[in-house]
């Protein structure tokens, strides 16, 4: 099978559907998770015009890695070469947000999950350097103490979403329109 067509990133998103992307970014798949799964090829990912020449389709920067979802319906693709893209599911536009810093030079980002604090946790399948916590705000990585005794990983998963605390806070203060019945007002005495 052509390496470009390998599905190397997959996640269950906030909408309850699963999403998967081929290495070359030419196929974004949506799949349901019920008893009769439905798989839909949504098409290719599209580079945001502000990506400064870093393409979601480039083998050197953007293949491999893992994918996360946030509580607002976006996907976060972390390539094996430490590049991070935010993908809008509806438009399929991939926006390059930066490169993870603070990792060892030979460290590849093959696996990702979200910890209870809302940070990304990444692991390498190629070197045994432990797990790293990555702040979403600036993409800086710090070693997770004691993780050097853990296993290399090429896939991580859990039920946490990025930006969940922010989504919960936004929903807490959301204004719900009052429901007014037709009989609330009358012209009678």
């Amino acid at each position: 099978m052509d390496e470009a067509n390998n599905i190397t990133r997959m996640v269950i998103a906030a909408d309850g559907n699963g999403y998967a992307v081929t290495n070359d970014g030419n196929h974004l798949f949506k799949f349901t998770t019920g008893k009769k799964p439905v798989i839909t090829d949504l098409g290719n990912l599209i580079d945001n015009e502000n990506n400064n020449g870093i393409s979601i389709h480039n083998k050197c920067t953007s293949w491999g890695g893992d994918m996360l979802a946030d509580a607002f319906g976006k996907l976060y693709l972390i390539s094996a070469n430490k590049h991070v893209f935010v993908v809008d599911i509806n438009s399929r536009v991939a926006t390059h947000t930066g490169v993870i810093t603070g990792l060892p030079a030979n460290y590849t980002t093959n696996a990702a999950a979200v910890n209870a604090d809302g940070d990304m946790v990444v692991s390498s399948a190629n070197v045994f350097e432990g797990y790293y916590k990555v702040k979403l705000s600036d993409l800086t990585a710090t070693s997770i103490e004691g993780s050097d005794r853990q296993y290399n990983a090429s896939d991580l998963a859990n039920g946490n979403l990025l930006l969940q605390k922010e989504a919960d806070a936004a929903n807490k203060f959301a204004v719900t329109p009052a429901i007014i019945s037709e009989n609330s007002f009358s012209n009678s005495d």
Side-chain angles (χ1 to χ4, degrees):
M1 181 172 186
D2 183 9
E3 184 180 354
N5 292 321
N6 288 349
I7 295 173
T8 53
R9 293 77 60 107
M10 190 179 306
V11 69
I12 303 296
D15 64 5
N17 292 304
Y19 293 88
V21 178
T22 56
N23 261 334
D24 63 7
N26 285 331
H27 299 278
L28 172 63
F29 294 101
K30 173 182 172 180
F31 58 93
T32 60
T33 58
K35 291 184 179 185
K36 294 184 179 182
V38 176
I39 301 170
T40 306
D41 187 345
L42 300 176
N44 64 310
L45 295 178
I46 302 162
D47 286 313
N48 185 309
E49 60 186 36
N50 298 322
N51 283 358
N52 296 322
I54 299 176
S55 174
I56 191 73
H57 305 284
N58 184 292
K59 184 176 184 176
C60 296
T61 59
S62 308
W63 287 27
D66 207 348
M67 197 160 48
L68 302 171
D70 76 13
F72 295 100
K74 303 281 188 205
L75 304 177
Y76 288 71
L77 192 146
I78 299 99
S79 76
N81 285 322
K82 307 171 195 146
H83 288 264
V84 179
F85 294 84
V86 177
V87 177
D88 180 288
I89 295 169
N90 296 320
S91 68
R92 300 185 329 276
V93 171
T95 303
H96 185 258
T97 61
V99 179
I100 298 172
T101 60
L103 296 172
N106 59 347
Y107 195 95
T108 56
T109 45
N110 303 99
V114 180
N115 69 12
D117 295 326
D119 296 316
M120 293 188 286
V121 173
V122 295
S123 177
S124 177
N126 297 328
V127 296
F128 192 61
E129 298 282 344
Y131 301 137
Y132 282 78
K133 178 174 69 172
V134 179
K135 288 283 183 195
L136 185 60
S137 59
D138 61 6
L139 300 180
T140 57
T142 54
S143 178
I144 297 175
E145 195 168 320
S147 69
D148 57 334
R149 295 181 205 87
Q150 303 300 320
Y151 300 100
N152 292 15
S154 58
D155 192 23
L156 295 175
N158 64 12
N160 298 335
L161 297 170
L162 288 169
L163 304 174
Q164 186 64 60
K165 290 177 184 176
E166 292 81 351
D168 291 346
N171 289 335
K172 181 178 180 181
F173 297 107
V175 177
T176 306
I179 299 173
I180 301 173
S181 72
E182 289 180 27
N183 298 327
S184 296
F185 302 101
S186 81
N187 290 333
S188 66
D189 290 61

